[in-house]
Amino acid sequence: QVQLVESGGGSAQAGGSLRLSCTATGVSYSPYCMAWFRQAPGKEREVVAAVNSYGTTFYETSVKGRFNISHDNAVYTLDLQMNTLKPDDTAKYYCALRRWSPTCLRNDYNYWGQGTQVTVSS
């Protein structure tokens, strides 16, 4: 049925870059929101970036100017280019999908990937 698969996680030095990718299959939602979430140990999961099928992007304040979200709305793919990484970016990152909403920067998504680990060292 619906499946989201993330890839591209790994380790990086502070100031470095990583690119995460997500592919969703079995989904016919339209319009929609897709988002990247992250969860660090001992912290709640938070949305860091999102995009809707109309091209509007949303960013959590701490990643503005450093992360860029992009998507292909024909096949439900989602990328996150992460630049100028900081140790505080260390977390497990999740791809998510939901029905369109006026704001995609929200927590109640319907479908989730299993996550990919990002570790940033100083």
Side-chain angles (χ1 to χ4, degrees):
Q1 199 176 335
V2 177
Q3 185 174 4
L4 281 69
V5 179
E6 302 98 337
S7 63
S11 299
Q13 292 284 114
S17 298
L18 289 171
R19 186 175 182 88
L20 307 182
S21 296
C22 171
T23 300
T25 57
V27 179
S28 59
Y29 253 170
S30 185
Y32 63 83
C33 294
M34 294 189 74
W36 285 100
F37 288 76
R38 67 185 180 189
Q39 187 168 26
K43 295 185 177 181
E44 294 185 352
R45 185 171 57 196
E46 64 174 352
V47 60
V48 296
V51 62
N52 66 27
S53 50
Y54 302 104
T56 305
T57 57
F58 308 81
Y59 295 95
E60 193 273 328
T61 301
S62 69
V63 308
K64 288 182 179 178
R66 299 190 298 120
F67 293 6
N68 293 105
I69 191 169
S70 60
H71 77 295
D72 183 338
N73 62 12
V75 294
Y76 299 96
T77 59
L78 184 72
D79 291 345
L80 185 68
Q81 179 65 46
M82 308 165 67
N83 299 316
T84 319
L85 285 164
K86 303 176 180 180
D88 285 348
D89 296 320
T90 296
K92 194 168 186 179
Y93 284 72
Y94 299 86
C95 177
L97 172 71
R98 62 158 288 140
R99 172 177 280 168
W100 178 89
S101 172
T103 177
C104 297
L105 212 63
R106 56 192 297 162
N107 294 323
D108 55 339
Y109 277 64
N110 302 104
Y111 305 104
W112 299 84
Q114 292 188 336
T116 184
Q117 180 67 38
V118 171
T119 302
V120 183
S121 62
S122 60

